[in-house]
Amino acid sequence: MNFTLSESDILLRRTVRDFAVKELEPAARERDAKEEFSWPLYRKMGKLGITGLGIAPERDGSGGLLQTAIAVEELARSDPSMALSLLASLSLASHGIEHHAGDALKNRYLPPIARGEKIAAFGFTEPEAGSDAAGVQMLASKKNGKYLLNGRKIFITNGDIANTFLVFATTDRAKRHKGMLAFIVERGSKGLSTHKQTEKMGMRASSTAEVLFDDCEVPAGNLVGEEGQGFTIAMEIVDGSRPIIGAQATGIAQGSLDLAMRHVRQRKQFGQAVADFQGVQWMLADMATKIDAARLLVYRAASMRDQGLSSTKESAMAKLFASETAMQVATQALQLHGGSGYFKESPIERFFRDAKVTEIYEGTSQIQRLVIARRLLAEAAAQR
Ligand SMILES: Cc1cc2nc3c(=O)[nH]c(=O)nc-3n(C[C@H](O)[C@H](O)[C@H](O)COP(=O)(O)OP(=O)(O)OC[C@H]3O[C@@H](n4cnc5c(N)ncnc54)[C@H](O)[C@@H]3O)c2cc1C
């Protein structure tokens, strides 16, 4: 595989980098402290064309998953929360709609999301359905040409700001994954309410909410795919989105290394820059090597998806390695800041908090290892 980026991809990276440094970095700490998502900044991202990456050009989008990964990494390098708001709207909800909904739904819901005028959310997790994805309890029952949804989603990124929700329910809890189905639900639907969940450790400038469905009416035409296909659709979506969480984690790791590099070159101890100590140089070398490896795993998985290849194992590997790299590199980078890294004045404190959740959402590291091992064993059995 060739991982040399094209001229246009290099330009995309540079454009998003410039935007992130000029527009996102200056008030990232303030938004983190206030737990505040910024619509004005998100709309600027829309003008830049990055809120529609991976959505078809006829629906005002452009590019594919590799371009989504490049943009998300560069955003996360400055502001991981904003990268999360974008990726939840794009690689979870919108790419799911783009790949699995009919033309009428796609043409209706995706263009304003692609232009950054609206934002989407992916509603899967419930109190009883986290790692056990087939345990979804939210009930969907059909009545007079409509579905009535009853249930509760938790930890939903963009939940209290989204206009469009891609949500998962079941017609029969006992059927588990075979009973599931997916819907597009609009904000303003009767019986839908959202409640912001606050006081997160990290990613505080991204919004997280509970989404409640109380006899929520959804037109039958808003069913995505067919009854019984919901679980397969959800798993297909996470295969595409895990490399993008990997890209976000790579950005967090790179942003942490950038900060560490700046600090160790400026800080003097024992009459020399801290960067001149060999013990410190070895730490920097390990950090940079892991980041490059994470980025390459992300590019491989994203490129496979763009070529229409199955990437379940490769997507899980990219997410697993990149998220653990983010946590390790952020920890080392904070260490290299000494005491000054322990105060909120230093952005490394925010990166350290932001890194943790990449090992948790879209499947914990334990779940990624299960996915990888199951594929390995299936491949071995097939070769026998
Ligand atoms: C900030 C944030 C944003 C989120 N955004 C979204 C979103 O937009 N949409 C959405 O649907 N969800 C979202 N989530 C939910 C997230 O995907 C889940 O939290 C995650 O999948 C883990 O589920 P859980 O929290 O129920 O943990 P649990 O499943 O209860 O896991 C608890 C522990 O048990 C371990 N464990 C569970 N099963 C196994 C097993 N079989 N083998 C080994 N270990 C196991 C886990 O690895 C973990 O360590 C978000 C979560 C957070 C924190």
Side-chain angles (χ1 to χ4, degrees), residues 84 88 92 122-127 129-132 154-158 200 202-203 206 208 357 360-367 370:
L84 175 57
L92 279 168
F122 178 83
F124 195 98
T125 304
E126 299 181 2
S131 299
D132 181 10
I154 56 170
F155 305 154
I156 306 306
T157 300
N158 298 339
K200 296 200 294 284
M203 303 289 179
S206 80
T208 312
V357 77
I360 295 173
Y361 51 33
E362 275 200 52
T364 62
S365 295
Q366 289 76 20
I367 295 303
L370 279 184

PDB file of all heavy atoms in Angstrom, residues 84 88 92 122-127 129-132 154-158 200 202-203 206 208 357 360-367 370, ligand 1:
ATOM      1  N   LEU A  84     -14.153  15.774  18.321  1.00  0.00           N
ATOM      2  CA  LEU A  84     -15.196  14.808  18.695  1.00  0.00           C
ATOM      3  C   LEU A  84     -16.572  15.237  18.184  1.00  0.00           C
ATOM      4  O   LEU A  84     -17.324  14.411  17.655  1.00  0.00           O
ATOM      5  CB  LEU A  84     -15.219  14.632  20.223  1.00  0.00           C
ATOM      6  CG  LEU A  84     -16.335  13.735  20.768  1.00  0.00           C
ATOM      7  CD1 LEU A  84     -16.279  12.338  20.154  1.00  0.00           C
ATOM      8  CD2 LEU A  84     -16.270  13.645  22.291  1.00  0.00           C
ATOM      9  N   ALA A  88     -18.489  12.728  15.575  1.00  0.00           N
ATOM     10  CA  ALA A  88     -19.762  12.084  15.927  1.00  0.00           C
ATOM     11  C   ALA A  88     -20.814  12.409  14.874  1.00  0.00           C
ATOM     12  O   ALA A  88     -21.604  11.549  14.478  1.00  0.00           O
ATOM     13  CB  ALA A  88     -20.228  12.555  17.312  1.00  0.00           C
ATOM     14  N   LEU A  92     -19.905   8.821  12.481  1.00  0.00           N
ATOM     15  CA  LEU A  92     -20.918   7.960  13.089  1.00  0.00           C
ATOM     16  C   LEU A  92     -22.274   8.178  12.421  1.00  0.00           C
ATOM     17  O   LEU A  92     -22.768   7.313  11.708  1.00  0.00           O
ATOM     18  CB  LEU A  92     -21.012   8.240  14.593  1.00  0.00           C
ATOM     19  CG  LEU A  92     -19.943   7.565  15.448  1.00  0.00           C
ATOM     20  CD1 LEU A  92     -19.932   8.116  16.861  1.00  0.00           C
ATOM     21  CD2 LEU A  92     -20.139   6.058  15.480  1.00  0.00           C
ATOM     22  N   PHE A 122     -25.310  10.213  17.037  1.00  0.00           N
ATOM     23  CA  PHE A 122     -25.465   8.769  16.865  1.00  0.00           C
ATOM     24  C   PHE A 122     -25.916   8.212  18.203  1.00  0.00           C
ATOM     25  O   PHE A 122     -25.161   8.235  19.183  1.00  0.00           O
ATOM     26  CB  PHE A 122     -24.102   8.196  16.469  1.00  0.00           C
ATOM     27  CG  PHE A 122     -24.012   6.704  16.290  1.00  0.00           C
ATOM     28  CD1 PHE A 122     -24.403   6.112  15.093  1.00  0.00           C
ATOM     29  CD2 PHE A 122     -23.482   5.897  17.291  1.00  0.00           C
ATOM     30  CE1 PHE A 122     -24.277   4.735  14.905  1.00  0.00           C
ATOM     31  CE2 PHE A 122     -23.352   4.520  17.111  1.00  0.00           C
ATOM     32  CZ  PHE A 122     -23.754   3.948  15.909  1.00  0.00           C
ATOM     33  N   GLY A 123     -27.147   7.730  18.270  1.00  0.00           N
ATOM     34  CA  GLY A 123     -27.697   7.292  19.552  1.00  0.00           C
ATOM     35  C   GLY A 123     -27.765   5.778  19.654  1.00  0.00           C
ATOM     36  O   GLY A 123     -28.716   5.163  19.158  1.00  0.00           O
ATOM     37  N   PHE A 124     -26.767   5.203  20.272  1.00  0.00           N
ATOM     38  CA  PHE A 124     -26.755   3.750  20.427  1.00  0.00           C
ATOM     39  C   PHE A 124     -26.752   3.340  21.907  1.00  0.00           C
ATOM     40  O   PHE A 124     -27.591   2.568  22.353  1.00  0.00           O
ATOM     41  CB  PHE A 124     -25.521   3.148  19.716  1.00  0.00           C
ATOM     42  CG  PHE A 124     -25.644   1.671  19.529  1.00  0.00           C
ATOM     43  CD1 PHE A 124     -26.074   1.150  18.315  1.00  0.00           C
ATOM     44  CD2 PHE A 124     -25.404   0.784  20.578  1.00  0.00           C
ATOM     45  CE1 PHE A 124     -26.251  -0.211  18.144  1.00  0.00           C
ATOM     46  CE2 PHE A 124     -25.581  -0.580  20.417  1.00  0.00           C
ATOM     47  CZ  PHE A 124     -25.995  -1.083  19.197  1.00  0.00           C
ATOM     48  N   THR A 125     -25.798   3.890  22.672  1.00  0.00           N
ATOM     49  CA  THR A 125     -25.576   3.414  24.044  1.00  0.00           C
ATOM     50  C   THR A 125     -26.792   3.659  24.943  1.00  0.00           C
ATOM     51  O   THR A 125     -27.436   4.703  24.871  1.00  0.00           O
ATOM     52  CB  THR A 125     -24.335   4.113  24.644  1.00  0.00           C
ATOM     53  OG1 THR A 125     -23.228   3.871  23.773  1.00  0.00           O
ATOM     54  CG2 THR A 125     -24.007   3.600  26.031  1.00  0.00           C
ATOM     55  N   GLU A 126     -27.075   2.674  25.772  1.00  0.00           N
ATOM     56  CA  GLU A 126     -28.165   2.760  26.763  1.00  0.00           C
ATOM     57  C   GLU A 126     -27.615   2.304  28.113  1.00  0.00           C
ATOM     58  O   GLU A 126     -26.537   1.696  28.169  1.00  0.00           O
ATOM     59  CB  GLU A 126     -29.308   1.819  26.347  1.00  0.00           C
ATOM     60  CG  GLU A 126     -29.910   2.168  25.014  1.00  0.00           C
ATOM     61  CD  GLU A 126     -31.060   1.220  24.643  1.00  0.00           C
ATOM     62  OE1 GLU A 126     -31.397   0.323  25.455  1.00  0.00           O
ATOM     63  OE2 GLU A 126     -31.607   1.396  23.547  1.00  0.00           O
ATOM     64  N   PRO A 127     -28.365   2.534  29.182  1.00  0.00           N
ATOM     65  CA  PRO A 127     -27.865   2.086  30.487  1.00  0.00           C
ATOM     66  C   PRO A 127     -27.509   0.595  30.499  1.00  0.00           C
ATOM     67  O   PRO A 127     -26.538   0.185  31.132  1.00  0.00           O
ATOM     68  CB  PRO A 127     -29.034   2.396  31.431  1.00  0.00           C
ATOM     69  CG  PRO A 127     -29.733   3.551  30.779  1.00  0.00           C
ATOM     70  CD  PRO A 127     -29.597   3.332  29.300  1.00  0.00           C
ATOM     71  N   ALA A 129     -26.999  -1.263  27.614  1.00  0.00           N
ATOM     72  CA  ALA A 129     -26.326  -1.663  26.366  1.00  0.00           C
ATOM     73  C   ALA A 129     -25.118  -0.773  26.113  1.00  0.00           C
ATOM     74  O   ALA A 129     -25.231   0.295  25.520  1.00  0.00           O
ATOM     75  CB  ALA A 129     -27.301  -1.576  25.185  1.00  0.00           C
ATOM     76  N   GLY A 130     -23.955  -1.201  26.641  1.00  0.00           N
ATOM     77  CA  GLY A 130     -22.692  -0.506  26.397  1.00  0.00           C
ATOM     78  C   GLY A 130     -21.842  -1.413  25.533  1.00  0.00           C
ATOM     79  O   GLY A 130     -22.061  -1.530  24.318  1.00  0.00           O
ATOM     80  N   SER A 131     -20.920  -2.127  26.166  1.00  0.00           N
ATOM     81  CA  SER A 131     -20.107  -3.088  25.408  1.00  0.00           C
ATOM     82  C   SER A 131     -20.986  -4.173  24.789  1.00  0.00           C
ATOM     83  O   SER A 131     -20.701  -4.670  23.694  1.00  0.00           O
ATOM     84  CB  SER A 131     -19.071  -3.744  26.334  1.00  0.00           C
ATOM     85  OG  SER A 131     -18.218  -2.760  26.870  1.00  0.00           O
ATOM     86  N   ASP A 132     -22.047  -4.528  25.489  1.00  0.00           N
ATOM     87  CA  ASP A 132     -22.977  -5.545  24.977  1.00  0.00           C
ATOM     88  C   ASP A 132     -23.970  -4.867  24.028  1.00  0.00           C
ATOM     89  O   ASP A 132     -25.112  -4.573  24.381  1.00  0.00           O
ATOM     90  CB  ASP A 132     -23.716  -6.195  26.154  1.00  0.00           C
ATOM     91  CG  ASP A 132     -24.683  -7.279  25.689  1.00  0.00           C
ATOM     92  OD1 ASP A 132     -24.640  -7.647  24.492  1.00  0.00           O
ATOM     93  OD2 ASP A 132     -25.481  -7.743  26.520  1.00  0.00           O
ATOM     94  N   ILE A 154     -27.922   7.113  26.508  1.00  0.00           N
ATOM     95  CA  ILE A 154     -27.046   7.905  27.389  1.00  0.00           C
ATOM     96  C   ILE A 154     -25.683   8.126  26.719  1.00  0.00           C
ATOM     97  O   ILE A 154     -25.309   7.400  25.796  1.00  0.00           O
ATOM     98  CB  ILE A 154     -26.836   7.224  28.763  1.00  0.00           C
ATOM     99  CG1 ILE A 154     -26.274   5.798  28.607  1.00  0.00           C
ATOM    100  CG2 ILE A 154     -28.134   7.202  29.550  1.00  0.00           C
ATOM    101  CD1 ILE A 154     -25.815   5.185  29.938  1.00  0.00           C
ATOM    102  N   PHE A 155     -24.974   9.131  27.216  1.00  0.00           N
ATOM    103  CA  PHE A 155     -23.617   9.480  26.757  1.00  0.00           C
ATOM    104  C   PHE A 155     -23.601   9.858  25.270  1.00  0.00           C
ATOM    105  O   PHE A 155     -22.624   9.550  24.568  1.00  0.00           O
ATOM    106  CB  PHE A 155     -22.643   8.301  26.946  1.00  0.00           C
ATOM    107  CG  PHE A 155     -22.538   7.710  28.321  1.00  0.00           C
ATOM    108  CD1 PHE A 155     -22.152   6.387  28.497  1.00  0.00           C
ATOM    109  CD2 PHE A 155     -22.778   8.471  29.457  1.00  0.00           C
ATOM    110  CE1 PHE A 155     -22.024   5.817  29.766  1.00  0.00           C
ATOM    111  CE2 PHE A 155     -22.664   7.914  30.739  1.00  0.00           C
ATOM    112  CZ  PHE A 155     -22.284   6.585  30.890  1.00  0.00           C
ATOM    113  N   ILE A 156     -24.645  10.471  24.769  1.00  0.00           N
ATOM    114  CA  ILE A 156     -24.704  10.721  23.327  1.00  0.00           C
ATOM    115  C   ILE A 156     -24.021  12.051  22.969  1.00  0.00           C
ATOM    116  O   ILE A 156     -24.483  13.127  23.361  1.00  0.00           O
ATOM    117  CB  ILE A 156     -26.166  10.708  22.818  1.00  0.00           C
ATOM    118  CG1 ILE A 156     -26.854   9.388  23.235  1.00  0.00           C
ATOM    119  CG2 ILE A 156     -26.216  10.902  21.297  1.00  0.00           C
ATOM    120  CD1 ILE A 156     -26.127   8.110  22.835  1.00  0.00           C
ATOM    121  N   THR A 157     -22.911  11.938  22.231  1.00  0.00           N
ATOM    122  CA  THR A 157     -22.176  13.135  21.803  1.00  0.00           C
ATOM    123  C   THR A 157     -23.055  13.959  20.873  1.00  0.00           C
ATOM    124  O   THR A 157     -23.700  13.413  19.973  1.00  0.00           O
ATOM    125  CB  THR A 157     -20.861  12.721  21.090  1.00  0.00           C
ATOM    126  OG1 THR A 157     -20.069  11.967  22.000  1.00  0.00           O
ATOM    127  CG2 THR A 157     -20.082  13.947  20.635  1.00  0.00           C
ATOM    128  N   ASN A 158     -23.066  15.261  21.084  1.00  0.00           N
ATOM    129  CA  ASN A 158     -23.913  16.225  20.348  1.00  0.00           C
ATOM    130  C   ASN A 158     -25.396  16.063  20.707  1.00  0.00           C
ATOM    131  O   ASN A 158     -26.246  16.696  20.078  1.00  0.00           O
ATOM    132  CB  ASN A 158     -23.782  16.093  18.820  1.00  0.00           C
ATOM    133  CG  ASN A 158     -22.381  16.367  18.325  1.00  0.00           C
ATOM    134  OD1 ASN A 158     -21.606  17.013  19.009  1.00  0.00           O
ATOM    135  ND2 ASN A 158     -22.049  15.882  17.132  1.00  0.00           N
ATOM    136  N   LYS A 200     -17.808  16.112  32.772  1.00  0.00           N
ATOM    137  CA  LYS A 200     -16.932  15.064  32.232  1.00  0.00           C
ATOM    138  C   LYS A 200     -15.492  15.372  32.635  1.00  0.00           C
ATOM    139  O   LYS A 200     -15.125  16.528  32.849  1.00  0.00           O
ATOM    140  CB  LYS A 200     -17.011  15.031  30.695  1.00  0.00           C
ATOM    141  CG  LYS A 200     -18.367  14.659  30.124  1.00  0.00           C
ATOM    142  CD  LYS A 200     -18.231  14.183  28.687  1.00  0.00           C
ATOM    143  CE  LYS A 200     -17.766  15.234  27.707  1.00  0.00           C
ATOM    144  NZ  LYS A 200     -18.807  16.206  27.332  1.00  0.00           N
ATOM    145  N   GLY A 202     -12.846  14.829  30.541  1.00  0.00           N
ATOM    146  CA  GLY A 202     -12.231  15.461  29.373  1.00  0.00           C
ATOM    147  C   GLY A 202     -13.269  15.674  28.287  1.00  0.00           C
ATOM    148  O   GLY A 202     -14.461  15.442  28.494  1.00  0.00           O
ATOM    149  N   MET A 203     -12.794  16.107  27.126  1.00  0.00           N
ATOM    150  CA  MET A 203     -13.688  16.400  25.983  1.00  0.00           C
ATOM    151  C   MET A 203     -14.844  17.274  26.443  1.00  0.00           C
ATOM    152  O   MET A 203     -15.982  17.129  26.002  1.00  0.00           O
ATOM    153  CB  MET A 203     -14.260  15.100  25.374  1.00  0.00           C
ATOM    154  CG  MET A 203     -13.227  14.126  24.914  1.00  0.00           C
ATOM    155  SD  MET A 203     -12.374  14.699  23.432  1.00  0.00           S
ATOM    156  CE  MET A 203     -11.236  13.323  23.196  1.00  0.00           C
ATOM    157  N   SER A 206     -17.131  19.316  24.142  1.00  0.00           N
ATOM    158  CA  SER A 206     -18.081  18.620  23.269  1.00  0.00           C
ATOM    159  C   SER A 206     -19.306  18.333  24.123  1.00  0.00           C
ATOM    160  O   SER A 206     -19.174  18.062  25.319  1.00  0.00           O
ATOM    161  CB  SER A 206     -17.492  17.302  22.751  1.00  0.00           C
ATOM    162  OG  SER A 206     -17.610  16.305  23.722  1.00  0.00           O
ATOM    163  N   THR A 208     -22.437  16.306  25.596  1.00  0.00           N
ATOM    164  CA  THR A 208     -22.866  14.920  25.818  1.00  0.00           C
ATOM    165  C   THR A 208     -24.244  14.980  26.474  1.00  0.00           C
ATOM    166  O   THR A 208     -24.453  15.811  27.362  1.00  0.00           O
ATOM    167  CB  THR A 208     -21.890  14.178  26.767  1.00  0.00           C
ATOM    168  OG1 THR A 208     -20.553  14.410  26.330  1.00  0.00           O
ATOM    169  CG2 THR A 208     -22.156  12.688  26.795  1.00  0.00           C
ATOM    170  N   VAL A 357     -10.675   9.084  27.222  1.00  0.00           N
ATOM    171  CA  VAL A 357     -11.941   8.530  26.708  1.00  0.00           C
ATOM    172  C   VAL A 357     -11.766   7.834  25.352  1.00  0.00           C
ATOM    173  O   VAL A 357     -12.600   7.014  24.961  1.00  0.00           O
ATOM    174  CB  VAL A 357     -13.034   9.623  26.651  1.00  0.00           C
ATOM    175  CG1 VAL A 357     -12.842  10.559  25.463  1.00  0.00           C
ATOM    176  CG2 VAL A 357     -14.419   8.996  26.627  1.00  0.00           C
ATOM    177  N   ILE A 360     -12.129   4.358  25.652  1.00  0.00           N
ATOM    178  CA  ILE A 360     -13.424   3.891  26.171  1.00  0.00           C
ATOM    179  C   ILE A 360     -14.513   3.893  25.103  1.00  0.00           C
ATOM    180  O   ILE A 360     -15.208   2.886  24.913  1.00  0.00           O
ATOM    181  CB  ILE A 360     -13.860   4.768  27.383  1.00  0.00           C
ATOM    182  CG1 ILE A 360     -12.882   4.568  28.545  1.00  0.00           C
ATOM    183  CG2 ILE A 360     -15.290   4.443  27.807  1.00  0.00           C
ATOM    184  CD1 ILE A 360     -13.108   5.493  29.738  1.00  0.00           C
ATOM    185  N   TYR A 361     -14.678   5.054  24.401  1.00  0.00           N
ATOM    186  CA  TYR A 361     -15.862   5.070  23.518  1.00  0.00           C
ATOM    187  C   TYR A 361     -15.626   4.337  22.195  1.00  0.00           C
ATOM    188  O   TYR A 361     -14.510   4.055  21.822  1.00  0.00           O
ATOM    189  CB  TYR A 361     -16.437   6.470  23.321  1.00  0.00           C
ATOM    190  CG  TYR A 361     -15.563   7.623  22.901  1.00  0.00           C
ATOM    191  CD1 TYR A 361     -14.472   7.486  22.072  1.00  0.00           C
ATOM    192  CD2 TYR A 361     -15.885   8.907  23.325  1.00  0.00           C
ATOM    193  CE1 TYR A 361     -13.729   8.582  21.680  1.00  0.00           C
ATOM    194  CE2 TYR A 361     -15.144  10.016  22.940  1.00  0.00           C
ATOM    195  CZ  TYR A 361     -14.068   9.829  22.114  1.00  0.00           C
ATOM    196  OH  TYR A 361     -13.338  10.908  21.730  1.00  0.00           O
ATOM    197  N   GLU A 362     -16.752   4.035  21.553  1.00  0.00           N
ATOM    198  CA  GLU A 362     -16.772   3.199  20.337  1.00  0.00           C
ATOM    199  C   GLU A 362     -16.098   1.853  20.545  1.00  0.00           C
ATOM    200  O   GLU A 362     -15.388   1.349  19.663  1.00  0.00           O
ATOM    201  CB  GLU A 362     -16.139   3.937  19.166  1.00  0.00           C
ATOM    202  CG  GLU A 362     -17.185   4.787  18.529  1.00  0.00           C
ATOM    203  CD  GLU A 362     -16.865   5.184  17.139  1.00  0.00           C
ATOM    204  OE1 GLU A 362     -16.546   4.306  16.318  1.00  0.00           O
ATOM    205  OE2 GLU A 362     -16.946   6.364  16.893  1.00  0.00           O
ATOM    206  N   GLY A 363     -16.321   1.311  21.713  1.00  0.00           N
ATOM    207  CA  GLY A 363     -15.735   0.028  22.065  1.00  0.00           C
ATOM    208  C   GLY A 363     -14.479   0.264  22.878  1.00  0.00           C
ATOM    209  O   GLY A 363     -13.539   0.913  22.403  1.00  0.00           O
ATOM    210  N   THR A 364     -14.471  -0.246  24.106  1.00  0.00           N
ATOM    211  CA  THR A 364     -13.298  -0.092  24.970  1.00  0.00           C
ATOM    212  C   THR A 364     -12.122  -0.871  24.369  1.00  0.00           C
ATOM    213  O   THR A 364     -12.295  -1.677  23.440  1.00  0.00           O
ATOM    214  CB  THR A 364     -13.597  -0.663  26.367  1.00  0.00           C
ATOM    215  OG1 THR A 364     -13.871  -2.072  26.221  1.00  0.00           O
ATOM    216  CG2 THR A 364     -14.799   0.011  27.020  1.00  0.00           C
ATOM    217  N   SER A 365     -10.938  -0.659  24.943  1.00  0.00           N
ATOM    218  CA  SER A 365      -9.754  -1.391  24.446  1.00  0.00           C
ATOM    219  C   SER A 365      -9.952  -2.901  24.579  1.00  0.00           C
ATOM    220  O   SER A 365      -9.496  -3.674  23.737  1.00  0.00           O
ATOM    221  CB  SER A 365      -8.510  -0.956  25.227  1.00  0.00           C
ATOM    222  OG  SER A 365      -8.250   0.399  24.961  1.00  0.00           O
ATOM    223  N   GLN A 366     -10.664  -3.304  25.637  1.00  0.00           N
ATOM    224  CA  GLN A 366     -10.927  -4.746  25.809  1.00  0.00           C
ATOM    225  C   GLN A 366     -11.786  -5.258  24.650  1.00  0.00           C
ATOM    226  O   GLN A 366     -11.528  -6.347  24.110  1.00  0.00           O
ATOM    227  CB  GLN A 366     -11.648  -5.002  27.143  1.00  0.00           C
ATOM    228  CG  GLN A 366     -10.801  -4.815  28.394  1.00  0.00           C
ATOM    229  CD  GLN A 366     -10.561  -3.354  28.748  1.00  0.00           C
ATOM    230  OE1 GLN A 366     -11.271  -2.460  28.320  1.00  0.00           O
ATOM    231  NE2 GLN A 366      -9.520  -3.112  29.532  1.00  0.00           N
ATOM    232  N   ILE A 367     -12.777  -4.490  24.278  1.00  0.00           N
ATOM    233  CA  ILE A 367     -13.663  -4.919  23.174  1.00  0.00           C
ATOM    234  C   ILE A 367     -12.892  -4.941  21.850  1.00  0.00           C
ATOM    235  O   ILE A 367     -13.070  -5.853  21.025  1.00  0.00           O
ATOM    236  CB  ILE A 367     -14.918  -4.014  23.107  1.00  0.00           C
ATOM    237  CG1 ILE A 367     -15.769  -4.195  24.376  1.00  0.00           C
ATOM    238  CG2 ILE A 367     -15.744  -4.297  21.846  1.00  0.00           C
ATOM    239  CD1 ILE A 367     -16.243  -5.611  24.686  1.00  0.00           C
ATOM    240  N   LEU A 370     -11.060  -8.092  21.709  1.00  0.00           N
ATOM    241  CA  LEU A 370     -11.966  -9.218  21.396  1.00  0.00           C
ATOM    242  C   LEU A 370     -12.234  -9.288  19.894  1.00  0.00           C
ATOM    243  O   LEU A 370     -12.184 -10.366  19.286  1.00  0.00           O
ATOM    244  CB  LEU A 370     -13.325  -9.024  22.089  1.00  0.00           C
ATOM    245  CG  LEU A 370     -13.481  -9.393  23.546  1.00  0.00           C
ATOM    246  CD1 LEU A 370     -14.939  -9.207  23.977  1.00  0.00           C
ATOM    247  CD2 LEU A 370     -13.076 -10.853  23.752  1.00  0.00           C
TER     248      LEU A 370
HETATM  249  C1  LIG B   1     -17.616  11.149  26.359  1.00  0.00           C
HETATM  250  C2  LIG B   1     -18.377   9.988  25.790  1.00  0.00           C
HETATM  251  C3  LIG B   1     -19.007  10.115  24.551  1.00  0.00           C
HETATM  252  C4  LIG B   1     -19.764   9.074  24.031  1.00  0.00           C
HETATM  253  N1  LIG B   1     -20.432   9.256  22.841  1.00  0.00           N
HETATM  254  C5  LIG B   1     -21.316   8.293  22.426  1.00  0.00           C
HETATM  255  C6  LIG B   1     -22.148   8.528  21.278  1.00  0.00           C
HETATM  256  O1  LIG B   1     -22.072   9.565  20.617  1.00  0.00           O
HETATM  257  N2  LIG B   1     -23.050   7.563  20.946  1.00  0.00           N
HETATM  258  C7  LIG B   1     -23.164   6.402  21.644  1.00  0.00           C
HETATM  259  O2  LIG B   1     -24.011   5.580  21.279  1.00  0.00           O
HETATM  260  N3  LIG B   1     -22.367   6.142  22.721  1.00  0.00           N
HETATM  261  C8  LIG B   1     -21.449   7.064  23.134  1.00  0.00           C
HETATM  262  N4  LIG B   1     -20.660   6.822  24.228  1.00  0.00           N
HETATM  263  C9  LIG B   1     -20.782   5.555  24.943  1.00  0.00           C
HETATM  264  C10 LIG B   1     -19.576   4.636  24.782  1.00  0.00           C
HETATM  265  O3  LIG B   1     -19.504   4.119  23.475  1.00  0.00           O
HETATM  266  C11 LIG B   1     -19.660   3.530  25.863  1.00  0.00           C
HETATM  267  O4  LIG B   1     -19.422   4.202  27.109  1.00  0.00           O
HETATM  268  C12 LIG B   1     -18.662   2.418  25.655  1.00  0.00           C
HETATM  269  O5  LIG B   1     -19.013   1.627  24.541  1.00  0.00           O
HETATM  270  C13 LIG B   1     -18.522   1.487  26.881  1.00  0.00           C
HETATM  271  O6  LIG B   1     -19.772   1.079  27.335  1.00  0.00           O
HETATM  272  P1  LIG B   1     -20.123   1.224  28.901  1.00  0.00           P
HETATM  273  O7  LIG B   1     -19.816   2.632  29.295  1.00  0.00           O
HETATM  274  O8  LIG B   1     -21.501   0.743  29.122  1.00  0.00           O
HETATM  275  O9  LIG B   1     -19.085   0.281  29.640  1.00  0.00           O
HETATM  276  P2  LIG B   1     -19.322  -1.260  30.025  1.00  0.00           P
HETATM  277  O10 LIG B   1     -19.766  -2.011  28.839  1.00  0.00           O
HETATM  278  O11 LIG B   1     -20.179  -1.321  31.241  1.00  0.00           O
HETATM  279  O12 LIG B   1     -17.846  -1.728  30.395  1.00  0.00           O
HETATM  280  C14 LIG B   1     -17.304  -1.660  31.720  1.00  0.00           C
HETATM  281  C15 LIG B   1     -15.961  -2.384  31.696  1.00  0.00           C
HETATM  282  O13 LIG B   1     -16.157  -3.774  31.427  1.00  0.00           O
HETATM  283  C16 LIG B   1     -15.343  -4.165  30.340  1.00  0.00           C
HETATM  284  N5  LIG B   1     -16.009  -5.207  29.564  1.00  0.00           N
HETATM  285  C17 LIG B   1     -17.319  -5.262  29.174  1.00  0.00           C
HETATM  286  N6  LIG B   1     -17.545  -6.357  28.457  1.00  0.00           N
HETATM  287  C18 LIG B   1     -16.369  -7.012  28.366  1.00  0.00           C
HETATM  288  C19 LIG B   1     -15.953  -8.237  27.753  1.00  0.00           C
HETATM  289  N7  LIG B   1     -16.795  -8.985  27.026  1.00  0.00           N
HETATM  290  N8  LIG B   1     -14.660  -8.624  27.871  1.00  0.00           N
HETATM  291  C20 LIG B   1     -13.777  -7.858  28.577  1.00  0.00           C
HETATM  292  N9  LIG B   1     -14.113  -6.694  29.178  1.00  0.00           N
HETATM  293  C21 LIG B   1     -15.392  -6.295  29.079  1.00  0.00           C
HETATM  294  C22 LIG B   1     -15.147  -2.890  29.525  1.00  0.00           C
HETATM  295  O14 LIG B   1     -14.000  -2.974  28.684  1.00  0.00           O
HETATM  296  C23 LIG B   1     -15.021  -1.855  30.608  1.00  0.00           C
HETATM  297  O15 LIG B   1     -13.708  -1.831  31.073  1.00  0.00           O
HETATM  298  C24 LIG B   1     -19.860   7.846  24.742  1.00  0.00           C
HETATM  299  C25 LIG B   1     -19.190   7.701  25.962  1.00  0.00           C
HETATM  300  C26 LIG B   1     -18.467   8.752  26.495  1.00  0.00           C
HETATM  301  C27 LIG B   1     -17.783   8.571  27.825  1.00  0.00           C
END
